[in-house]
Amino acid sequence: MKVPPYPLTTADMMEAVWTHVSARLQERLEPGHYKVWIQPLAGHFDGTGLVVHAVSAFAAGFVRDNFMAAIREAVRDVTGEDIPVRLTDVPFGAENGREDGRRRDPERAGEVSKSVPALIVSPAVVENPPVSPLVAEPGRAWQPVTALQVEGQHALPLRYDEKAFSISSRQWRHSFEDFVVGPSNELAFAASRSICKESRGADILFLSSGPGLGKTHLVQAVGQQLYKECNYRAPKVEYLTAEEFASRLVMSFKGHDTDRFKSRYRDVDVLLLEDVHFLQGKEKIQEELLATLKTLQDRGSKVLFSSSFIPRDLQGMGGELLSRLHSGFLAVIDRPDRDTRKRIFREKARLNQVILPEDVSDFLADNIDSDVRQIESCLRNLALKAKLLRCDITMQMAWEAVQYYAPCEKKLDLEKIIAYVSRGYGISSKEMRSKSRKKDLVVARNTVFFLARKHTDLSLEEIGTIFGRSHSTVIKGITSLEREMSRETSLGRQIAGAISLIERNGGIISPSS
């Protein structure tokens, strides 16, 4: 949809600009990004510029970080002018000059006293952001200035204390910079970064995924980012697993020292609690966690939970605690797709200073699809083996390593078999399916019959139907091919070599076979 520059001549026209801006963004952004982040927005002119309304503070922060440049460009294309654009999270259509008709709460709005240092975040806060399908505006590092001095910035409501270094930066093993972002985890990645930046929005973030998909990486990245980016005094952060939380609470009961336990975990700016599902069925521990959570929410602190289960699947949890867990922002991490797995292999190889050939990374991404831990373990084994043998990583080494991580029997599907045979014999799949009885086409067709019977669950009748042949023709073709290979004639050896090559390319047999 092409929209010409839109002259701002009447009030009606001015109000219609956002419709055309949204249409421009729909053309330029990925469909998923447009549907999730742009479509829910509303826009209008307030006399000085375009006001864009987001549905929540979290959404406003994410749009500000990733799409403001695209929005301004679309506004310029539609109006032909550089119209000021302001993003807000207050509801659209409110009265009295304040979009929501409410008084502005100085503490929640980030309007702190000039005498109190605030942690200020600019539209993009990482100097070297990781590779991501989302494009952020170039930004500056955090600076100790007041929120009133910089328009469009937000202060994280953190308490500052010279003795608040509860965790040293050396204890954070993971960062946002070394997290590979893909379709399976981009929402969790964005939500985790928002914990470090947003002054308002969801005060509870719940990360959920299967084992080894990146929960701990993101939780630790939040801790490291909070510690690293703070250039005045560190926020008070507590990071532990639910099992550690339970054990320390039990010890405090035994030592008659519950007050110290409560003061430690209720007087923090950010609580990072992993594996919350461990508390299922532990009623007393849940009561303490609920009381801690209430206190933290009342004081404006942030809480990040992680679990292998989403809140609705947790069993043996108190109703009120479960309700609190449901009230947070839920981000689920799925298993990475092939492209993301390949980028993970390449990133891990870079971090380990290992040269990973293109065909090897393709092969590994195709065959190891369970979780990131297996990807890391496989690459470490390959790197160590190459170092011990003082050689480069080869396809043979990769194939041998995969056997320990992909134990399930590999199978080729019929379409792959046809594609491999077509390439190997230099003929098209259309020719192979034709009625021609040329010798090279018959040999190629029989090779497909042989491999399809060996590596697929298709019956001989089904194989024949696909090629327009009878059941008996398929049997005759397979028998003829096997007889030729058993005689070890020149043609038989060529056929055996072609079959071996196809099975190697399909990951069925070792490259050395």
Side-chain angles (χ1 to χ4, degrees):
M1 174 180 179
K2 298 297 182 183
V3 183
Y6 210 105
L8 305 179
T9 54
T10 68
D12 290 339
M13 287 183 178
M14 291 168 68
E15 294 300 324
V17 166
W18 176 250
T19 302
H20 295 291
V21 170
S22 181
R24 288 268 184 166
L25 294 170
Q26 186 173 15
E27 292 176 358
R28 297 173 180 178
L29 299 177
E30 293 184 16
H33 295 162
Y34 174 83
K35 184 175 181 180
V36 172
W37 303 109
I38 304 301
Q39 195 172 41
L41 302 177
H44 78 286
F45 275 86
D46 64 353
T48 61
L50 178 65
V51 181
V52 180
H53 299 264
V55 296
S56 68
F58 172 78
F62 192 83
V63 171
R64 181 182 296 109
D65 286 350
N66 297 285
F67 301 111
M68 279 302 291
I71 291 174
R72 290 192 178 103
E73 183 180 353
V75 170
R76 186 163 52 248
D77 290 346
V78 170
T79 64
E81 304 176 27
D82 286 318
I83 303 297
V85 179
R86 181 166 61 88
L87 189 65
T88 179
D89 63 344
V90 290
F92 175 65
E95 302 172 355
N96 301 327
R98 292 284 190 198
E99 289 84 355
D100 58 355
R102 297 174 299 178
R103 279 189 179 180
R104 192 174 180 87
D105 184 342
E107 182 179 355
R108 291 184 60 82
E111 297 174 355
V112 297
S113 169
K114 291 187 178 182
S115 62
V116 180
L119 183 61
I120 304 299
V121 63
S122 45
V125 297
V126 289
E127 296 178 2
N128 298 302
V131 177
S132 169
L134 306 177
V135 180
E137 295 181 64
R140 299 178 301 230
W142 287 349
Q143 301 176 6
V145 296
T146 62
L148 293 175
Q149 291 176 294
V150 184
E151 182 179 356
Q153 296 183 336
H154 297 270
L156 183 64
L158 300 176
R159 294 180 68 257
Y160 292 88
D161 186 344
E162 290 182 353
K163 299 180 180 179
F165 290 87
S166 58
I167 299 178
S168 166
S169 62
R170 295 179 181 177
Q171 293 180 264
W172 304 112
R173 295 178 289 110
H174 302 293
S175 68
F176 288 124
E177 284 76 8
D178 56 20
F179 187 84
V180 178
V181 182
S184 62
N185 58 29
E186 64 181 358
L187 181 60
F189 177 82
S192 299
R193 286 186 62 190
S194 76
I195 286 283
C196 307
K197 300 187 297 182
E198 287 296 320
S199 59
R200 291 185 287 172
D203 54 359
I204 298 177
L205 172 61
F206 196 105
L207 296 179
S208 177
S209 77
L213 295 181
K215 298 188 301 295
T216 296
H217 190 134
L218 287 177
V219 174
Q220 288 223 353
V222 168
Q224 183 179 111
Q225 189 80 359
L226 288 171
Y227 185 94
K228 180 177 66 175
E229 295 292 345
C230 196
N231 55 9
Y232 184 73
R233 291 174 184 167
K236 191 172 182 181
V237 179
E238 283 290 347
Y239 167 62
L240 71 168
T241 65
E243 183 176 5
E244 290 171 334
F245 183 88
S247 298
R248 294 175 187 180
L249 178 59
V250 171
M251 291 299 294
S252 71
F253 284 143
K254 292 180 178 179
H256 305 286
D257 196 17
T258 55
D259 288 341
R260 179 180 296 183
F261 177 90
K262 292 177 181 179
S263 65
R264 176 172 181 177
Y265 295 109
R266 297 184 186 183
D267 185 28
V268 298
D269 300 303
V270 181
L271 175 64
L272 309 174
L273 188 66
E274 290 221 67
D275 302 327
V276 69
H277 54 271
F278 177 82
L279 302 182
Q280 294 177 110
K282 297 176 173 59
E283 184 176 344
K284 293 295 184 182
I285 310 298
Q286 291 178 31
E287 290 176 0
E288 177 58 31
L289 178 60
L290 177 60
T292 299
L293 189 54
K294 288 179 178 178
T295 302
L296 293 177
Q297 287 184 291
D298 288 344
R299 68 192 300 275
S301 300
K302 302 282 188 176
V303 182
L304 194 163
F305 292 112
S306 77
S307 174
S308 298
F309 307 93
I310 59 177
R312 75 177 184 195
D313 292 335
L314 294 172
Q315 304 295 322
M317 300 289 276
E320 189 174 356
L321 176 58
L322 202 57
S323 175
R324 296 264 177 171
L325 298 180
H326 274 290
S327 70
F329 187 89
L330 173 63
V332 178
I333 305 174
D334 296 318
R335 293 169 68 174
D337 58 16
R338 181 191 180 280
D339 179 64
T340 304
R341 293 197 303 271
K342 182 175 178 180
R343 288 194 290 117
I344 292 173
F345 269 115
R346 297 181 69 85
E347 174 63 15
K348 299 300 179 184
R350 183 188 66 80
L351 293 174
N352 288 277
Q353 298 181 330
V354 173
I355 297 176
L356 197 64
E358 188 75 16
D359 58 341
V360 172
S361 62
D362 284 333
F363 175 75
L364 294 175
D366 285 335
N367 288 275
I368 300 180
D369 58 1
S370 52
D371 60 62
V372 179
R373 287 199 187 103
Q374 286 203 10
I375 290 176
E376 292 178 327
S377 176
C378 179
L379 188 62
R380 281 196 299 268
N381 283 331
L382 282 172
L384 179 59
K385 187 171 184 178
K387 188 174 295 185
L388 291 173
L389 297 176
R390 296 183 180 180
C391 67
D392 295 333
I393 295 176
T394 64
M395 181 65 79
Q396 173 65 32
M397 292 166 60
W399 190 90
E400 291 171 355
V402 160
Q403 307 310 303
Y404 299 102
Y405 297 95
C408 299
E409 181 183 355
K410 287 278 294 180
K411 287 189 176 182
L412 287 169
D413 59 49
L414 186 60
E415 290 305 315
K416 284 185 177 179
I417 290 172
I418 293 174
Y420 284 137
V421 172
S422 295
R423 281 206 302 268
Y425 285 85
I427 59 177
S428 68
S429 59
K430 183 178 180 181
E431 290 176 309
M432 198 182 307
R433 298 172 190 264
S434 69
K435 299 294 185 180
S436 173
R437 296 289 303 168
K438 290 182 179 179
K439 185 175 181 179
D440 57 341
L441 294 180
V442 171
V443 171
R445 201 176 295 130
N446 290 344
T447 302
V448 173
F449 296 161
F450 174 85
L451 290 169
R453 184 187 67 168
K454 184 177 179 181
H455 296 297
T456 73
D457 295 326
L458 296 173
S459 66
L460 297 178
E461 290 86 352
E462 290 171 327
I463 296 171
T465 299
I466 292 171
F467 282 85
R469 262 69 176 180
S470 65
H471 168 264
S472 59
T473 300
V474 174
I475 294 177
K476 182 179 177 181
I478 294 173
T479 303
S480 172
L481 197 74
E482 290 176 335
R483 183 169 58 247
E484 196 69 43
M485 287 191 292
S486 67
R487 289 176 178 174
E488 294 191 356
T489 62
S490 176
L491 177 60
R493 287 192 292 272
Q494 291 177 14
I495 294 172
I499 290 175
S500 177
L501 178 63
I502 290 167
E503 290 180 322
R504 287 199 299 274
N505 289 336
I508 300 298
I509 65 171
S510 165
S512 63
S513 301

